[in-house]
Amino acid sequence: MLRGLNTAASGMFSLERKQEALTNNLANAQTAGYKKDDAVQRAFPNYLLGRINDFKENGAVGANAEIGQRAQLGEISNGVYTQELIPSFGQGTLVQTSSPLDVAIEDSNIPYQTINGRLVKPAAFFPVQMADGTVGYTRNGKFDLDANGNLVTADGYRVLGANHQPIQITESIQKADLSIDTEGNIMAYANDPTRTRSIGKIGLVVAQNPNDLVRRGENLYGSNTALPFVTDPGNGNPGVLLHQGFIEQSNVDTGQTMADMMVTIRGYEANQKVISAYDQSLQQLYSVGKING
């Protein structure tokens, strides 16, 4: 009976964590470049059950007889748990904003890679300089210029160029005078040949196995080992395109997420009823064994 209580409780804990992931996905459905988290649930190891002091009779005699073999009843699981939250790096929908510093990544043409015998879809990111000097990675291309002319993210992190250095526009160039091509080259006054000049190039990195990345908050990811830029020696652009004046929406399907939340709540309530039934049984057992007087 107590095993049943533990199993139902483990289901509630697991569904609670899954609900938290779904809620976070729904809250970030309008966050540019956000990648949803999928909760991976697994069962605890199963145990074999056998009848005590009982032996299986197979009808064999002599040398083929199985003497002293315990009869097996089957397997039992001790519950379920949410092992981890895995981001889904599928391409989000590109929405036109016409803002000159909005840049969206399109990496759907990157070929799959075989890693440890499994097909994995690599993902591209913008590298940014974190406050502690390390490099973070984001898909949110809603950029702006700070007071010093640095190209920064919506949270103020400086965007790194292809040369691994922050991109800075020191001249009095207006945002509307900037153009960014599909490879990330930033040009000023592109429509005026007499004034056209190169400002820099937006850096891009490709994570061959994006599942190894770790969320660092503020729609940023971190890596234990620095990811190489596509412009580094020995690397090339595997099929990533940038689109100026566009923003990549999150890949959260709000309708499916709300449906999953309802299913999760129903499962949570079912486990509650199981615990309530066990509680009533224990109360009756206690009342039967109670001595009046």
Side-chain angles (χ1 to χ4, degrees), residues 3 10 14 18 24 40 42 56 109 111 130 134 157 160 185 195 197 207 210 212 217 238 279 286:
R3 180 182 289 116
S10 70
S14 176
K18 180 179 180 180
N24 188 57
V40 178
R42 297 192 178 185
K56 183 172 66 176
N109 292 327
M130 304 291 290
T134 60
Y157 297 107
L160 298 180
N185 295 299
R195 304 171 63 192
R197 64 174 61 90
D212 290 337
D279 181 60
Y286 172 75

Side-chain angles (χ1 to χ4, degrees), residues 7-227:
T7 301
S10 70
M12 293 177 66
F13 287 131
S14 176
L15 291 172
E16 183 178 358
R17 189 176 180 192
K18 180 179 180 180
Q19 187 76 346
E20 290 174 354
L22 292 171
T23 302
N24 188 57
N25 290 340
L26 193 61
N28 287 279
Q30 300 302 319
T31 302
Y34 177 81
K35 301 303 178 184
K36 67 177 181 177
D37 282 326
D38 293 327
V40 178
Q41 295 177 304
R42 297 192 178 185
F44 288 108
N46 292 343
Y47 292 94
L48 289 175
L49 296 180
R51 292 199 297 265
I52 300 176
N53 297 327
D54 196 359
F55 302 96
K56 183 172 66 176
E57 297 179 2
N58 57 6
V61 294
N64 296 324
E66 298 182 17
I67 301 175
Q69 182 175 357
R70 192 178 301 277
Q72 294 183 359
L73 296 178
E75 295 183 348
I76 187 171
S77 175
N78 285 335
V80 67
Y81 67 103
T82 299
Q83 183 183 35
E84 57 186 336
L85 301 179
I86 299 180
S88 173
F89 291 96
Q91 177 74 51
T93 304
L94 303 188
V95 178
Q96 187 172 11
T97 64
S98 299
S99 176
L101 292 183
D102 284 352
V103 185
I105 293 177
E106 181 185 355
D107 62 355
S108 55
N109 292 327
I110 299 180
Y112 280 81
Q113 303 290 331
T114 301
I115 300 177
N116 297 327
R118 298 176 58 186
L119 285 177
V120 177
K121 183 71 166 62
F125 298 87
F126 296 113
V128 300
Q129 189 177 63
M130 304 291 290
D132 58 2
T134 60
V135 179
Y137 309 100
T138 183
R139 292 281 294 210
N140 188 349
K142 194 169 186 61
F143 300 144
D144 203 348
L145 297 177
D146 64 9
N148 297 320
N150 295 303
L151 187 66
V152 296
T153 67
D155 295 307
Y157 297 107
R158 290 190 289 181
V159 181
L160 298 180
N163 59 355
H164 296 235
Q165 299 300 317
I167 300 173
Q168 188 176 35
I169 302 174
T170 57
E171 304 177 29
S172 57
I173 301 175
Q174 303 298 317
K175 299 178 185 179
D177 297 326
L178 298 173
S179 64
I180 303 172
D181 64 15
T182 56
E183 294 185 356
N185 295 299
I186 306 174
M187 302 295 295
Y189 312 112
N191 297 325
D192 187 351
T194 62
R195 304 171 63 192
T196 300
R197 64 174 61 90
S198 175
I199 301 299
K201 185 174 183 178
I202 297 176
L204 278 175
V205 300
V206 175
Q208 298 300 320
N209 187 3
N211 293 327
D212 290 337
L213 299 179
V214 179
R215 285 195 185 272
R216 299 187 62 176
E218 297 178 308
N219 209 5
L220 293 171
Y221 296 90
S223 175
N224 293 329
T225 56
L227 300 179

